[in-house]
Amino acid sequence: MPQYRTFTAADAVAYAQEFGGLANPACLVDAQEVGDGNLNLVFKIFDSAGVSRIIVKQALPYVRCVGESWPLTLDRARLEAQTLVEHYKHSPQHTVQILHYDPALAVMVMEDLSSHRIWRGELISGVYYPQAATQLGEYLARTLFHTSDFCLHPHDKKAQVARFINPEMCEITEDLFFNDPFIDHARNNYPAELEAQVAALRNDDDLKIAVAGLKHRFFSAAQALLHGDIHSGSIFVAEGSLKAIDAEFGYFGPIGFDIGTAIGNLLLNYCAQPGHFGPRDAAAFREQRLQDIRELWLTFAERFETLARTETRDAALAYPGYAARFLQSVWKDAIGYCGTELIRRTVGMSHVADLETIEDDEMRVACISHAIELGKYLILIAGQVENVEQFIARVRQKG
Ligand SMILES: Nc1ncnc2c1ncn2[C@@H]1O[C@H](COP(=O)(O)OP(=O)(O)O)[C@@H](O)[C@H]1O
Ligand SMILES: CSC[C@H]1O[C@H](OP(=O)(O)O)[C@H](O)[C@@H]1O
């Protein structure tokens, strides 16, 4: 077995020639490292005509955006490859295809999605993909249903939970979402002007109890195999197409976490709109985001319920009305997790380009402040919002 080493561009080309599955591997001649995420190396491998043909992704033994002072398990590459392979089985249209995985080198080779664009960039530029929210709802319904107790035999489910135990990556989420923003932590990063607003988060008993409940369910509710980090930067879109990538946070957790993360990133974009298009033009883009949220939830819920009605194997869970009851609890979880995504992306260490690229300082701070307030509000009211129309009305009320 090869020893782990960090790939150079030449290593990545040689690896893609061997494991890329191309009929004419010698055509692969060049590589460029294009990783813009927080964690890993990503190489595009080009042919002699300069066309990107295949992707080689390698985990580093530390958090890329911080450096060697924050070591991180290489096993995350296994969890990412395994999660994407499992999701591909259930939703091949909306999951990147993994072609090869190598545990010793913590490397995977995957389908090249250069014909697509990262959704976050498109949302920031105001490019609308009207089908994307529906397709994301379909992806979430199919992957989450087919890895849940509605579908799996109890023995298989338990074996799968064990195969996807992901303690190191879950710990990052546990800290960044549910701890750091609600205490005075060195990793936090927010505008000094918002100190009083952030201090109020630390001193709000109701909020901290609600966040404790969300963290507790993140620890313990092994409902389905989550993507675990399904934000708009982990989603490629093209006309009529959507593909999820980057699933190294995959584990069996509460379904509402994936739904809430996805909705949360649409809301972060909603909050950022005045910073990119000015208060007047922002209104139309904001309506698109609210429509995306409506479409995402309604598609997810409708597809999940249909699958539950037609394909549930467990006799008790198949009882008419139970799936609808379960989806109500998923919805309420999703609103809470959505709120934590808004807060961790504004107060915590890991920010989003939607807000960070707003050039005007005063406007940027105002948009960040809006996201923090909205996040706190959603966490507090999560249990009272019965449906997506009420959710949208509440978001509108908060400005
Ligand atoms: N399958 C792919 N096809 C084309 N580009 C990709 C692919 N996977 C990743 N990339 C590029 O690499 C970037 C970082 O990938 P990502 O998986 O998000 O890395 P990280 O795990 O470090 O967050 C993406 O934003 C995208 O530009
Ligand atoms: C210390 S990891 C911070 C943050 O980075 C991950 O995002 P990505 O892999 O898409 O760059 C994830 O959201 C983590 O919470």
Side-chain angles (χ1 to χ4, degrees), residues 34-42 44 52 55 57 64 80 96 110-114 118 229 231 233-234 236 245-248:
V34 297
D36 60 359
N38 288 324
L39 296 172
N40 303 298
L41 295 177
V42 179
K44 283 190 174 187
S52 177
I55 300 293
K57 179 169 178 177
R64 178 181 181 158
E80 173 165 2
V96 66
M110 68 180 108
E111 169 190 13
D112 191 324
L113 293 171
S114 298
I118 289 288
D229 195 24
H231 58 80
S234 300
F236 269 109
I245 61 165
D246 196 16
E248 67 222 307

Side-chain angles (χ1 to χ4, degrees), residues 55-303:
I55 300 293
V56 173
K57 179 169 178 177
Q58 184 178 41
L60 292 165
Y62 52 86
V63 174
R64 178 181 181 158
C65 66
V66 173
E68 295 184 33
S69 63
W70 189 341
L72 190 58
T73 175
L74 291 174
D75 194 37
R76 68 183 187 272
R78 174 181 66 85
L79 285 146
E80 173 165 2
Q82 261 182 208
T83 303
L84 290 169
V85 166
E86 190 63 31
H87 281 190
Y88 187 86
K89 278 187 209 160
H90 307 301
S91 185
Q93 276 185 325
H94 301 313
T95 310
V96 66
Q97 187 175 19
I98 300 297
L99 305 168
H100 175 78
Y101 161 67
D102 181 329
L105 290 165
V107 162
M108 70 201 82
V109 181
M110 68 180 108
E111 169 190 13
D112 191 324
L113 293 171
S114 298
S115 58
H116 289 56
R117 312 280 294 236
I118 289 288
W119 198 15
R120 190 185 301 288
E122 300 295 87
L123 290 170
I124 294 170
S125 309
V127 184
Y128 192 34
Y129 292 81
Q131 92 297 341
T134 308
Q135 293 184 334
L136 182 54
E138 268 166 20
Y139 161 78
L140 290 166
R142 293 194 61 77
T143 56
L144 296 170
F145 174 81
H146 285 105
T147 57
S148 75
D149 293 294
F150 286 91
C151 183
L152 293 177
H153 184 281
H155 290 190
D156 294 341
K157 164 79 183 330
K158 289 168 182 69
Q160 287 287 64
V161 170
R163 210 160 73 85
F164 285 92
I165 291 291
N166 193 355
E168 290 92 341
M169 304 308 285
C170 284
E171 188 179 14
I172 292 179
T173 302
E174 287 149 15
D175 288 341
L176 298 190
F177 276 70
F178 308 116
N179 285 16
D180 292 6
F182 306 97
I183 56 175
D184 192 2
H185 198 286
R187 276 191 297 243
N188 287 340
N189 173 20
Y190 53 85
E193 298 91 313
L194 302 182
E195 183 53 46
Q197 191 183 8
V198 173
L201 303 177
R202 299 197 282 265
N203 296 318
D204 188 323
D205 290 337
D206 291 338
L207 182 69
K208 292 181 83 154
I209 287 171
V211 170
L214 291 163
K215 186 178 190 191
H216 198 177
R217 287 197 288 293
F218 187 84
F219 279 144
S220 56
Q223 293 176 346
L225 176 60
L226 307 188
H227 176 286
D229 195 24
I230 188 77
H231 58 80
S232 51
S234 300
I235 295 170
F236 269 109
V237 287
E239 209 183 309
S241 176
L242 174 141
K243 305 263 184 190
I245 61 165
D246 196 16
E248 67 222 307
F249 290 84
Y251 86 115
F252 274 78
I255 289 175
F257 183 82
D258 267 4
I259 311 291
T261 301
I263 293 178
N265 279 271
L266 294 170
L267 278 188
L268 286 160
N269 183 265
Y270 172 97
C271 292
Q273 288 301 338
H276 296 290
F277 298 104
R280 216 163 42 108
D281 292 344
F285 291 108
R286 283 186 155 184
E287 285 309 308
Q288 286 177 355
R289 289 304 77 72
L290 296 179
Q291 178 58 19
D292 286 340
I293 290 168
R294 179 186 286 114
E295 223 20 80
L296 192 170
W297 171 258
L298 292 177
T299 304
F300 166 77
E302 191 272 320
R303 302 284 198 280

